[in-house]
Amino acid sequence: MRILAEGEAPYLAVDPDGFRAFVRDHKQRALKPKLMSAHDAISRFVADGDYFVFDCNYFQRGPSTLVREVIRQGKRDLWLCGKFSYVDVGLLVGAGCVSRIDCGFFWPGATIDRAVADGRVRVFEYSNVVMTLRLQAGAMGLPFLPVRSFGGTDGFRHSGAKLVEDPFTGQPITLAPALNPDVAIIHVQQADVYGNARVFGTGIAHQESALASKKVIVSAEEIIDTEEIRRDPGRTSVPYYAVDAVVHAPFGAWPGNCGGYYGSDTPAVIETFAAIARDRVSEYVEKHVAPFADDAAMFDALVGQERLEKLRAAETITEGYRP
Amino acid sequence: MRILAEGEAPYLAVDPDGFRAFVRDHKQRALKPKLMSAHDAISRFVADGDYFVFDCNYFQRGPSTLVREVIRQGKRDLWLCGKFSYVDVGLLVGAGCVSRIDCGFFWPGATIDRAVADGRVRVFEYSNVVMTLRLQAGAMGLPFLPVRSFGGTDGFRHSGAKLVEDPFTGQPITLAPALNPDVAIIHVQQADVYGNARVFGTGIAHQESALASKKVIVSAEEIIDTEEIRRDPGRTSVPYYAVDAVVHAPFGAWPGNCGGYYGSDTPAVIETFAAIARDRVSEYVEKHVAPFADDAAMFDALVGQERLEKLRAAETITEGYRP
Amino acid sequence: MSRGDGTVAAGTPASSFNEREMQICTVARMVEDERTYWVAGGGGPMYAVLLAIRLYAPGAQYITEDGVIAPEPLLPFEPVMTMVSSRAGYRALAWGTMNTAGNHAQLGLMDYGLLNTLQVDQHGNINSTAIGTYGERARRFGGPGGADSIAALCWRTVLMTDQEKRKFVERVDFISSPGFLDGTEGARERAGLPPGTGPHRVVTPWAMYDYTTDRRLRLAARAPWVTVEQILAECEYPPVVADEVGVLSGPTEEELQILRSELDPRGQNTGERSAWVVFDGETYTRAAG
Amino acid sequence: MSRGDGTVAAGTPASSFNEREMQICTVARMVEDERTYWVAGGGGPMYAVLLAIRLYAPGAQYITEDGVIAPEPLLPFEPVMTMVSSRAGYRALAWGTMNTAGNHAQLGLMDYGLLNTLQVDQHGNINSTAIGTYGERARRFGGPGGADSIAALCWRTVLMTDQEKRKFVERVDFISSPGFLDGTEGARERAGLPPGTGPHRVVTPWAMYDYTTDRRLRLAARAPWVTVEQILAECEYPPVVADEVGVLSGPTEEELQILRSELDPRGQNTGERSAWVVFDGETYTRAAG
């Protein structure tokens, strides 16, 4: 099984045995309540220098409240899993939280352009699917997974992937290195206090991110009773023993759409895009994050109950989202 | 990436490109009704010599009606994916349908013992999880998947697996060859006429088997309207374009338990075990299969509506099974 | 593809439209009925497939990167809410995740991939990562997103881009998503990509391109209001030109009616800055954009 | 493990029980609270963990091969309906599939694996495939099922088997599921198995075994009604014998009450042919089975 080609980029060390040992020593097997504030979850479980994955994004059932809290707490030197992202990467880069990005996709603009040009941020190249596949490998406890895409691109040359000779077919096959992030933040519609979490609608890699990551923070629109979880176990997307913190975060995906719960806040979405495009993230942070103790305070000051209710009313679709 | 050890058993050729070409040429992309009788589905889609996978088993939400139809039509020379099986393997071997078995687990007994001793059937050794992982590799369009189990066993020596040096960690890692069966039979609680299928409760590898197999037959307790599928897309376990035939098979898992629909028929379960244990499969077939055009006729003659209603009533659990 | 090469449209020629609408209508006519499409999230590709399903290919099905399978979306979309969004995933036959989409395409279940891009080269390679010299002086863009998987795994890739000099180059500054790579026979297979896949068409507001048997971009058809010379003037690297360059039909009133009133009433994507064209019943006249 | 080595039981010593019940109670007392168990489908292992959750380890959680996670099963089970069955999966926290169980164990989430087996050897290797010379004159059995994954991936493997000569051998006829393989240091790791995993205990109706630091099976404790000599007489290959062989407690009335009335009222598993033992308050006397 010869190695035919290898990417030249640094990548998070592949260490399935080390991850197993971490899981053995730190993942809670017992049913213990994990409900805490966004502030406590982020301060306890996100450390400077962490490899950081967020599922979905700031506009689409993503952990927007948790992203704002990461910025509020001024975390530094994060290595981002930058897949399927619109503004999340730009916001975190603009807020000075980021030193490295594994790129699947992020919304470009002056903020990232400048950070990369100045050498403040290094970018390594993948694709969205290759990143979710790396997370799947990590979620399976494996060192790598094969993939039929990515080979031959310049991304491959600037990644941690390898092209090898498949010992079964003799043909070339790309191997993507497993990814076991230090921390994952995920927003879901429903979770119980133990971390049994339900995602409704499509997703990106919530299950993979939760199982692959050392520390997992789940924010939820609703905290539901465990009895409800037990009444429909087929709806559980992430089991409790993968989860370290549960945050009750109504409108936790604002300004995005949270399927079955509320529509997106279009002016706020456009305002966020503009901040990235014009490298005005600091102004965005000054307005939406810095002045407030938490999102509840921010919603009161900048959005208001009436507007939030309008967003709820705008979400007319419930089929498939409300069991 | 050196090869450190290799199993010596024959295994179904690994050919992801060939499978892609088959999918391109034969899988129906359009929404076309696929409803047909068990007889027509088995005669059209199961050929002598096929590699044959059944999901779950004869006693546990398995495709028992379809297994009986395979026996009724006297299919020959099948290569069985013998994972998580109680009597299925023994019944098919005893009925003379089988020449090879990839073993995860099957209920042993005189029938199989004799067939193996006589050399009528060859057995290759895996484990249940290694078999479902091989199906997952096939369902991902990959030539193999790594696995952290199986290495060091005598099963490995009598399998198609390989132990290689992981190019990322330098440690030994086992690779399991992908499996793309010729045909899969799967029993589900609900499906629409196009093959969008819903499984409730746990399962073995219904999704993997459906996506990995060239020809897929789904039998369902209920045929539901596609409108119902569209009202809750998160409940779809298998999408239509993987499926070739849909069979309406009430009590299709008899004598087993079908979660939310009916309990197991204990005397019939014990009778089936006895047939395998004492190598009396031919008598079993003479009684349950041969005399009848289909299962409906068999149920009328041997079980009766009253008994079937009792089995329905015995299934008091509906939570998680009836959306 | 149904309606052959998209040069033929059904209906009444529209009297006034913009070139973005022209591009979307051209692609819509190329959509093959009863085939599967992996459509890049949002923008021209999604409007093209939705328009096709309404008018030309009612049995075409599409998936998106987030694992939406065969939806009947609730239109119009809110800005950027084209994936992991309740309206975009409405009435799907199944909901999965990104790995669902990747696996199904990897299995060969996706006939066509439909993409937007920043830059394309003579071998159909796609750049959405950086313009300039990567790692040195380059303008940074967003990366391949789902495009790399679409271009690698779907059987045929259809690309949408603008007809601008800097977009049609000899070699892209960065191969984000694979075309025919260096253009040699078997280059994709040598890189581990599945055989029988690759670039199929490129569509701009002015032109449609296919590929020669030796895997080079070829100008196949033009909009009625531009000449081959005008198109070539907007290609930094000149494509091969077909012996007979076809002429694309302009949009029809029926197409625009659906596009403007049902699919994109706010003109979010179809109203983008792009030149307007008027048709007096005989000739098309372009008003500089 | 909670209650140390299972030699201590809480409650009133039972006056009459069979040896299968003894074995299940012994394992139940070894179950560690607030730990995860991958339990082989049905039989002694499942009754042992269910009994433990009732009496000794209320916070222990278990999964089964079909992806049932932390259920509260509706007892009793119908015969063989211990997996992919509505009663066995009742009130679970999550439902998955076989690959769910395999992946979660592969990730290191399963503290203990609990198994039945046909044959075990001095290094804890497990045979459930064939007795005799494989491929020549052998009696065929069912294969590893889930046991190979359990024995390879859970942190500690606890084995249940009968105390019979042919079950305790120098080397199993076929390694279906891995113990310490050839017993040399690092043998499991050289075979690609995760480090820090492996055989932990073997429990029979008469005895409990652990392993020496050099990975050999060691007799650690005996039932009160049998001698070390009797146990060794039922081992084809003699295990190491601990300097101090502990004495296991007999079942308690509380344990049997739950086992017989709630878990297995039909005696499907606990009523198997096995010798009966009576306790007169001072001594245990075994009535040949």
Side-chain angles (χ1 to χ4, degrees):
Chain A
M1 189 156 172
R2 286 179 304 121
I3 295 177
L4 307 170
E6 296 186 272
E8 290 152 12
Y11 55 94
L12 190 67
V14 172
D15 181 17
D17 292 338
F19 186 72
R20 276 182 60 92
F22 184 94
V23 165
R24 180 193 58 209
D25 299 340
H26 296 95
K27 289 288 183 185
Q28 177 60 260
R29 271 73 157 153
L31 287 172
K32 304 280 189 189
K34 298 160 186 167
L35 200 59
M36 62 185 80
S37 67
H39 172 276
D40 293 355
I42 297 298
S43 57
R44 276 183 60 184
F45 294 109
V46 182
D48 293 349
D50 274 356
Y51 191 106
F52 182 84
V53 59
F54 50 86
D55 193 58
C56 288
N57 64 54
Y58 204 75
F59 296 147
Q60 295 161 334
R61 215 229 329 110
S64 309
T65 287
L66 296 178
V67 166
R68 287 185 285 269
E69 186 59 31
V70 166
I71 292 171
R72 183 174 288 116
Q73 295 187 23
K75 301 295 181 182
R76 290 286 175 272
D77 190 29
L78 299 179
W79 187 343
L80 296 192
C81 178
K83 56 158 171 54
F84 194 72
S85 167
Y86 286 102
V87 297
D88 314 60
V89 171
L91 287 176
L92 289 162
V93 166
C97 305
V98 179
S99 62
R100 284 163 294 187
I101 303 166
D102 285 341
C103 174
F105 176 80
F106 50 74
W107 196 262
T111 298
I112 292 167
D113 221 17
R114 184 99 62 79
V116 171
D118 299 354
R120 279 179 282 125
V121 170
R122 294 180 64 191
V123 185
F124 313 120
E125 312 294 345
Y126 297 91
S127 74
N128 280 345
V129 169
V130 170
M131 289 309 297
T132 55
L133 194 77
R134 291 183 63 195
L135 289 165
Q136 186 182 345
M140 292 173 76
L142 298 173
F144 60 83
L145 279 175
V147 61
R148 303 298 308 276
S149 59
F150 201 46
T153 64
D154 288 321
F156 175 93
R157 293 174 46 224
H158 298 280
S159 78
K162 300 178 191 294
L163 186 73
V164 303
E165 184 183 282
D166 169 7
F168 291 94
T169 65
Q171 299 301 309
I173 180 88
T174 299
L175 304 182
L179 181 57
N180 289 111
D182 294 300
V183 59
I185 62 171
I186 301 165
H187 186 64
V188 305
Q189 282 96 341
Q190 302 178 330
D192 73 1
V193 296
Y194 305 121
N196 295 295
R198 291 171 159 183
V199 165
F200 296 91
T202 59
I204 299 306
H206 45 274
Q207 205 170 50
E208 296 89 333
S209 301
L211 287 165
S213 299
K214 289 181 172 175
K215 301 170 289 178
V216 175
I217 305 171
V218 167
S219 63
E221 291 295 327
E222 292 186 86
I223 303 301
I224 62 172
D225 195 289
T226 301
E227 282 301 301
E228 205 173 319
I229 296 283
R230 291 194 185 276
R231 269 195 293 273
D232 197 352
R235 288 288 198 187
T236 305
S237 312
V238 175
Y240 76 96
Y241 48 53
V243 177
D244 297 284
V246 177
V247 175
H248 183 209
F251 289 96
W254 181 89
N257 169 217
C258 186
Y261 285 73
Y262 44 87
S264 57
D265 188 339
T266 299
V269 165
I270 290 164
E271 182 181 10
T272 322
F273 269 119
I276 307 302
R278 306 194 187 114
D279 199 12
R280 298 258 174 79
V281 173
S282 48
E283 288 89 329
Y284 183 89
V285 171
E286 279 316 309
K287 176 180 170 187
H288 290 88
V289 181
F292 307 108
D294 57 25
D295 262 11
M298 182 271 286
F299 286 138
D300 287 346
L302 302 185
V303 188
Q305 272 310 312
E306 191 184 330
R307 173 86 185 139
L308 292 177
E309 287 317 314
K310 278 215 184 73
L311 297 175
R312 274 206 198 290
E315 180 62 314
T316 57
I317 296 174
T318 59
E319 302 95 310
Y321 295 93
R322 298 299 190 112
Chain B
M1 191 154 171
R2 285 179 303 123
I3 295 177
L4 308 169
E6 298 186 89
E8 290 153 12
Y11 55 95
L12 190 67
V14 171
D15 181 16
D17 292 338
F19 186 72
R20 276 183 60 92
F22 185 94
V23 165
R24 180 193 57 210
D25 299 341
H26 295 96
K27 289 288 182 184
Q28 176 59 261
R29 272 75 158 149
L31 287 172
K32 304 280 190 189
K34 299 160 185 168
L35 201 57
M36 62 186 80
S37 68
H39 172 277
D40 292 355
I42 297 298
S43 57
R44 278 183 58 184
F45 295 109
V46 182
D48 293 350
D50 274 356
Y51 191 106
F52 182 85
V53 58
F54 51 86
D55 193 59
C56 286
N57 64 55
Y58 203 75
F59 296 147
Q60 294 159 337
R61 214 228 329 110
S64 309
T65 287
L66 296 178
V67 167
R68 286 184 285 269
E69 186 59 32
V70 166
I71 293 171
R72 184 174 288 116
Q73 294 188 23
K75 300 295 181 181
R76 289 285 176 271
D77 189 29
L78 299 178
W79 187 342
L80 296 191
C81 178
K83 57 159 170 55
F84 193 73
S85 168
Y86 286 102
V87 297
D88 314 59
V89 171
L91 287 176
L92 289 162
V93 166
C97 305
V98 180
S99 62
R100 285 162 294 186
I101 303 166
D102 285 341
C103 174
F105 176 80
F106 49 75
W107 197 261
T111 298
I112 292 167
D113 222 16
R114 183 98 61 81
V116 172
D118 298 354
R120 278 179 282 124
V121 170
R122 295 180 63 192
V123 186
F124 313 120
E125 311 295 345
Y126 297 91
S127 74
N128 281 345
V129 169
V130 170
M131 289 309 297
T132 55
L133 194 78
R134 291 184 62 196
L135 289 165
Q136 186 182 345
M140 293 172 75
L142 298 173
F144 60 83
L145 279 175
V147 61
R148 302 299 308 277
S149 60
F150 202 46
T153 64
D154 287 322
F156 175 93
R157 293 174 45 226
H158 298 279
S159 78
K162 299 178 191 294
L163 185 73
V164 303
E165 185 182 281
D166 169 7
F168 292 94
T169 65
Q171 300 300 310
I173 180 86
T174 298
L175 304 183
L179 181 58
N180 289 110
D182 294 300
V183 59
I185 62 171
I186 302 165
H187 186 65
V188 305
Q189 282 97 341
Q190 302 178 330
D192 72 3
V193 296
Y194 305 119
N196 295 296
R198 292 170 159 184
V199 165
F200 296 92
T202 58
I204 299 306
H206 46 274
Q207 206 169 50
E208 296 90 333
S209 301
L211 287 165
S213 299
K214 289 180 174 175
K215 301 170 287 179
V216 176
I217 304 171
V218 167
S219 62
E221 291 295 328
E222 293 186 86
I223 303 301
I224 61 173
D225 194 290
T226 301
E227 282 301 301
E228 205 173 319
I229 297 282
R230 291 194 186 275
R231 270 195 293 273
D232 197 352
R235 288 287 199 187
T236 305
S237 312
V238 175
Y240 76 96
Y241 49 53
V243 176
D244 298 283
V246 178
V247 175
H248 183 210
F251 289 96
W254 181 90
N257 169 217
C258 187
Y261 285 72
Y262 44 87
S264 57
D265 187 339
T266 299
V269 165
I270 291 165
E271 181 181 12
T272 321
F273 269 120
I276 307 302
R278 307 194 188 114
D279 200 13
R280 298 258 174 77
V281 173
S282 48
E283 289 88 326
Y284 183 87
V285 170
E286 280 316 310
K287 177 181 170 189
H288 291 87
V289 181
F292 308 108
D294 56 25
D295 260 13
M298 182 273 286
F299 286 137
D300 286 346
L302 302 186
V303 188
Q305 272 310 312
E306 193 185 331
R307 173 82 185 142
L308 293 177
E309 287 316 314
K310 278 214 183 73
L311 297 176
R312 275 205 198 287
E315 180 62 312
T316 56
I317 297 173
T318 58
E319 302 94 310
Y321 295 92
R322 297 300 189 112
Chain C
M1 299 187 147
S2 72
R3 335 195 58 81
D5 55 10
T7 54
V8 186
T12 320
S15 58
S16 171
F17 52 90
N18 68 49
E19 290 187 330
R20 175 73 58 224
E21 293 172 325
M22 169 65 180
Q23 180 187 29
I24 290 168
C25 293
T26 301
V27 173
R29 295 174 205 142
M30 295 164 58
V31 169
E32 193 176 358
D33 199 14
E34 303 196 335
R35 289 290 163 190
T36 41
Y37 285 74
W38 183 351
V39 180
M46 187 169 286
Y47 288 106
V49 84
L50 290 171
L51 178 59
I53 288 169
R54 283 289 208 303
L55 275 182
Y56 302 119
Q61 306 292 343
Y62 74 93
I63 70 167
T64 50
E65 206 177 318
D66 57 327
V68 167
I69 296 177
E72 292 175 1
L74 187 58
L75 295 159
F77 299 132
E78 298 297 319
V80 310
M81 298 301 150
T82 56
M83 288 190 284
V84 197
S85 124
S86 49
R87 297 176 78 89
Y90 192 53
R91 291 177 51 79
L93 290 175
W95 283 337
T97 65
M98 187 170 283
N99 283 329
T100 309
N103 291 341
H104 290 196
Q106 200 157 252
L107 280 166
L109 285 162
M110 294 301 125
D111 296 305
Y112 291 94
L114 199 45
L115 289 173
N116 256 328
T117 190
L118 193 65
Q119 192 182 55
V120 60
D121 70 20
Q122 61 169 332
H123 297 304
N125 297 304
I126 300 167
N127 177 15
S128 50
T129 299
I131 299 288
T133 307
Y134 181 84
E136 296 170 33
R137 285 187 327 292
R139 176 150 180 229
R140 176 75 212 192
F141 289 89
D148 170 59
S149 308
I150 292 172
L153 302 174
C154 298
W155 290 103
R156 297 167 158 185
T157 307
V158 176
L159 219 53
M160 298 173 74
T161 190
D162 293 333
Q163 189 63 63
E164 296 171 12
K165 235 177 163 25
R166 60 193 179 84
K167 290 184 178 291
F168 285 80
V169 297
E170 180 173 13
R171 193 200 185 288
V172 289
D173 298 335
F174 191 97
I175 300 181
S176 309
S177 305
F180 291 114
L181 299 175
D182 67 6
T184 59
E185 187 157 19
R188 286 172 64 95
E189 292 78 359
R190 286 192 300 276
L193 308 183
T197 57
H200 180 64
R201 296 280 189 278
V202 177
V203 177
T204 74
W206 284 6
M208 177 167 61
Y209 303 79
D210 59 9
Y211 292 85
T212 63
T213 52
D214 62 346
R215 296 164 296 281
R216 289 176 184 282
L217 192 69
R218 174 175 62 187
L219 177 60
R222 61 174 179 85
W225 57 89
V226 289
T227 64
V228 168
E229 293 61 38
Q230 282 175 289
I231 294 165
L232 295 181
E234 288 296 342
C235 296
E236 182 183 301
Y237 184 83
V240 177
V241 177
D243 302 341
E244 289 213 357
V245 174
V247 178
L248 299 162
S249 305
T252 65
E253 294 296 352
E254 294 76 0
E255 289 168 337
L256 294 181
Q257 157 66 18
I258 290 169
L259 202 50
R260 294 172 179 177
S261 66
E262 293 177 41
L263 304 189
D264 189 18
R266 303 181 191 124
Q268 287 166 25
N269 290 269
T270 55
E272 286 175 28
R273 55 149 187 70
S274 70
W276 281 78
V277 175
V278 292
F279 180 59
D280 63 11
E282 287 185 357
T283 57
Y284 286 91
T285 315
R286 177 170 188 268
Chain D
M1 299 187 147
S2 72
R3 335 198 56 82
D5 56 7
T7 55
V8 187
T12 321
S15 57
S16 171
F17 53 89
N18 69 48
E19 290 187 331
R20 176 73 58 223
E21 292 172 326
M22 170 64 178
Q23 180 187 30
I24 290 168
C25 294
T26 302
V27 173
R29 297 174 205 142
M30 295 163 58
V31 170
E32 193 175 357
D33 199 14
E34 303 196 334
R35 289 290 162 191
T36 41
Y37 285 74
W38 183 351
V39 180
M46 187 169 285
Y47 288 106
V49 83
L50 290 171
L51 178 59
I53 288 169
R54 282 288 210 306
L55 274 182
Y56 301 120
Q61 306 292 344
Y62 74 94
I63 70 167
T64 51
E65 205 177 320
D66 57 327
V68 167
I69 296 176
E72 293 175 0
L74 186 59
L75 295 159
F77 299 132
E78 299 296 321
V80 311
M81 298 300 148
T82 56
M83 288 190 283
V84 196
S85 123
S86 48
R87 297 176 78 90
Y90 191 54
R91 290 176 52 78
L93 290 176
W95 282 338
T97 65
M98 187 171 283
N99 283 329
T100 309
N103 291 342
H104 290 194
Q106 200 157 251
L107 280 166
L109 284 163
M110 294 300 126
D111 296 306
Y112 291 94
L114 198 45
L115 289 173
N116 258 328
T117 189
L118 194 65
Q119 192 182 54
V120 60
D121 70 20
Q122 61 169 332
H123 297 304
N125 297 305
I126 299 166
N127 178 14
S128 48
T129 300
I131 298 289
T133 308
Y134 181 83
E136 294 169 37
R137 286 187 324 293
R139 178 154 177 227
R140 176 76 212 191
F141 289 89
D148 171 58
S149 308
I150 291 172
L153 302 174
C154 298
W155 290 102
R156 297 166 157 185
T157 307
V158 175
L159 220 53
M160 297 173 74
T161 189
D162 293 335
Q163 189 62 62
E164 294 172 14
K165 237 177 164 22
R166 61 192 178 84
K167 290 185 179 290
F168 286 80
V169 297
E170 180 173 14
R171 194 199 185 290
V172 288
D173 298 336
F174 191 98
I175 300 181
S176 310
S177 305
F180 291 114
L181 301 175
D182 67 7
T184 59
E185 187 157 20
R188 286 172 64 94
E189 291 78 358
R190 286 192 299 278
L193 308 183
T197 56
H200 180 65
R201 296 281 188 279
V202 177
V203 176
T204 74
W206 284 8
M208 177 169 60
Y209 304 78
D210 59 8
Y211 291 85
T212 63
T213 53
D214 63 346
R215 295 164 297 280
R216 289 176 183 282
L217 192 70
R218 174 175 62 184
L219 177 61
R222 62 174 178 84
W225 56 90
V226 289
T227 64
V228 169
E229 293 62 35
Q230 283 174 290
I231 293 165
L232 297 180
E234 288 297 340
C235 295
E236 182 182 301
Y237 185 84
V240 177
V241 177
D243 303 342
E244 289 213 356
V245 174
V247 178
L248 300 163
S249 306
T252 65
E253 295 295 354
E254 294 77 0
E255 289 168 338
L256 294 182
Q257 157 67 17
I258 290 168
L259 203 50
R260 293 172 179 177
S261 65
E262 293 177 42
L263 304 189
D264 190 19
R266 304 182 191 124
Q268 287 167 26
N269 290 269
T270 56
E272 286 175 28
R273 56 149 186 68
S274 70
W276 280 78
V277 176
V278 292
F279 179 59
D280 61 12
E282 286 184 357
T283 56
Y284 286 90
T285 314
R286 177 172 189 267

